[in-house]
Amino acid sequence: MRKINKILVANRGEIAVRIMRTCREMDIASVAVFSDADRTSMHVRYADEAYYIGPAPSKESYLRADKIIEVAIKSKADAIHPGYGFLSENSEFARLCAENNIIFIGPSPEVIVKMGDKIQARKAMIAAGVPVVPGTTEAISSEDEALKTIAEIGLPVMIKASAGGGGKGMRLVKEESGIVSSVRGARSEALAAFNDDAVYIEKYVSSPHHIEFQVLGDQHGNVIHLFERECSIQRRHQKMVEETPSPLMTVDLREKMGQDAVNAAKAVKYVGAGTIEFLVDNNLNYYFLEMNTRLQVEHPITERVTGVDLVKQQILVAEGHELLLKQDELRQKGHAIECRIYAEDSDNNFMPSAGRIHNITEPLGLGVRTDGYVYEGYEIPIHYDPMISKLIVWANNREEAIQRMRRALYEYKITGVKTSIKFLERIMDSSDFREGNYDTNYIEKNKEMLLSTEKCDIVTQDMVIIATYIDYINRLNKVIPTKQLNPVENRWKKYSYQKNFDRL
Ligand code: MV4
């Protein structure tokens, strides 16, 4: 047992702020690290101490394990929380922490290595009796072997890079004639991206659901699960909406998958918060896909329905405490949905929309949480993820939660950059989403409805008046000098901006 008094958060943006909030509640001091692009970022303002670690590109700052360890030593931090992305699933970084007597808030380097290697992970799951997608157990060594495998399991198949994950280095093969070139293509892509050309084959599961289970393990061998998250609403492997409980789930299926998630984590002696990803087909067959050995972006929906602060649990198990949460005492209360707010332009192929936040009004009220970090006047750096916040709502049931999300999205006003808010409103309005009738093909299937530019005229008119009024107030306060007013560039401002301004 080792008490943690100070945590260095090796991250930025909303997740760094999220972690520091729990530190504050636990009377743990927080240390921020920042790049040139983040001198005035919220995580720097929120932390008790902050240290500069290098130029804006991640490779020269947030990925510099050596500099971060140096700051941890200098600031006398007992532990490092890596958040998600950056160094969170880097086994060398976890090892470096241990060598310097700093607690890495996450699993051991060995577990990170094992789960990062998808072939090893599959083998461990097979040994633990957790269902995996039918396919090869070893890396395929020749094209003949690939042909032999498809003779056994049938087409279509997916060729996947062992060092991949999250959709990188994947190939779908529908015909036997395509197998040789796909294996070669996947190999060279994997070699270039991961410096490892090992690939394996899985039977292709068509139109699957992506359902993941949250697990927590302690250093005493206890593992629990905190139920599922439905994450099928994705675009190019980027999640947009997550909810729990999953509309697809049954009581029996949850029981079985939850037990398998616990078995999966126990098989590798997992310590900390982790996620077991499953593919679920239309007949409710489920298969282990991969394990994420970090806190995930979408963790707040689990927090909301279970009442558990996952960051607090991570810290407690890292200190060596035994989990006080017991599986049979955990319940899913009500329904939670998360929408990811990205600074991107859905009308322009989801291009990142860099720029300065002009006005931001965040939704509040019953059952609403926002995890964000931007403020008025903040310029979103182009060097990092374009996600600016997460909007999480809770209600007693799914129908109420959807209505609450629609209300919260309506209240959410951001000017200065384009955001995914409008696109998310369309998702909430779509009948497939409202009926819970969706899988990983949802966005592709509904793209016409989701991208249509009609039907927003009345809303546009209201927005013009609101935008004009906000600008008017800003002029009164001299926040933005008149002569610096940007030329009109926003569709709903352009609509009849000057006419409305004259009326005020
Ligand atoms: C699959 C699959 C179908 N069959 N594997 C994509 C991300 C990576 N984690 C695994 N992925 C997939 N693996 C087999 N055998 C379909 C996908 C997939 C997907 C999975 C989860 C969520 C969204 C997805 C979108 C496209 C493809």
Side-chain angles (χ1 to χ4, degrees), residues 158 160 166-167 170 202-203 205 210 234 237 279 290 440:
M158 291 203 96
K160 295 186 175 184
M170 261 180 17
E202 275 182 7
K203 176 116 184 107
V205 182
H210 172 138
Q234 311 195 358
H237 305 300
L279 283 184
E290 43 197 75
T440 48

Side-chain angles (χ1 to χ4, degrees), residues 210-213 227-229 231 239 275-276 296 298:
H210 172 138
I211 298 181
E212 56 187 32
F213 272 71
F227 313 104
E228 80 278 10
R229 293 185 287 259
C231 302
K239 292 170 189 159
T275 297
I276 312 289
Q296 297 216 189
E298 59 272 25

Side-chain angles (χ1 to χ4, degrees), residues 12 37-38 40-41 354-357 373 375 377-382:
R12 65 176 303 282
D38 276 335
T40 62
S41 272
R356 194 178 294 277
I357 301 287
Y373 75 106
Y375 52 86
Y378 179 74
E379 184 149 359
I380 299 167
I382 52 163

Side-chain angles (χ1 to χ4, degrees), residues 33-52:
V33 289
F34 63 95
S35 71
D36 276 325
D38 276 335
R39 287 177 187 281
T40 62
S41 272
M42 189 59 92
H43 73 288
V44 175
R45 290 164 54 167
Y46 194 94
D48 296 306
E49 295 170 49
Y51 295 85
Y52 173 73

Side-chain angles (χ1 to χ4, degrees), residues 36-161:
D36 276 325
D38 276 335
R39 287 177 187 281
T40 62
S41 272
M42 189 59 92
H43 73 288
V44 175
R45 290 164 54 167
Y46 194 94
D48 296 306
E49 295 170 49
Y51 295 85
Y52 173 73
I53 50 165
S58 307
K59 271 207 156 61
E60 298 174 59
S61 48
Y62 298 106
L63 289 171
R64 284 287 299 270
D66 56 338
K67 284 199 182 174
I68 291 167
I69 297 279
E70 193 187 308
V71 171
I73 294 167
K74 191 160 71 184
S75 63
K76 299 192 168 63
D78 313 291
I80 294 182
H81 195 306
Y84 53 70
F86 297 127
L87 296 167
S88 61
E89 295 181 280
N90 183 314
S91 58
E92 278 312 306
F93 182 61
R95 208 182 303 279
L96 211 53
C97 289
E99 282 168 10
N100 286 280
N101 197 30
I102 298 162
I103 297 171
F104 175 79
I105 301 180
S108 68
E110 293 75 25
V111 171
I112 299 176
V113 169
K114 184 175 274 182
M115 288 310 191
D117 179 326
K118 306 306 165 192
I119 293 173
Q120 268 201 68
R122 262 171 77 80
K123 278 201 223 172
M125 292 309 120
I126 293 166
V130 177
V132 300
V133 188
T136 52
T137 20
E138 301 290 338
I140 53 167
S141 54
S142 68
E143 278 130 21
D144 270 359
E145 212 180 298
L147 290 167
K148 218 180 91 195
T149 304
I150 61 164
E152 281 166 28
I153 63 174
L155 286 163
V157 295
M158 291 203 96
I159 318 285
K160 295 186 175 184

Side-chain angles (χ1 to χ4, degrees), residues 202-222:
E202 275 182 7
K203 176 116 184 107
Y204 177 65
V205 182
S206 67
S207 305
H209 280 250
H210 172 138
I211 298 181
E212 56 187 32
F213 272 71
Q214 177 71 54
V215 295
L216 271 177
D218 67 19
Q219 296 177 21
H220 310 273
N222 303 302

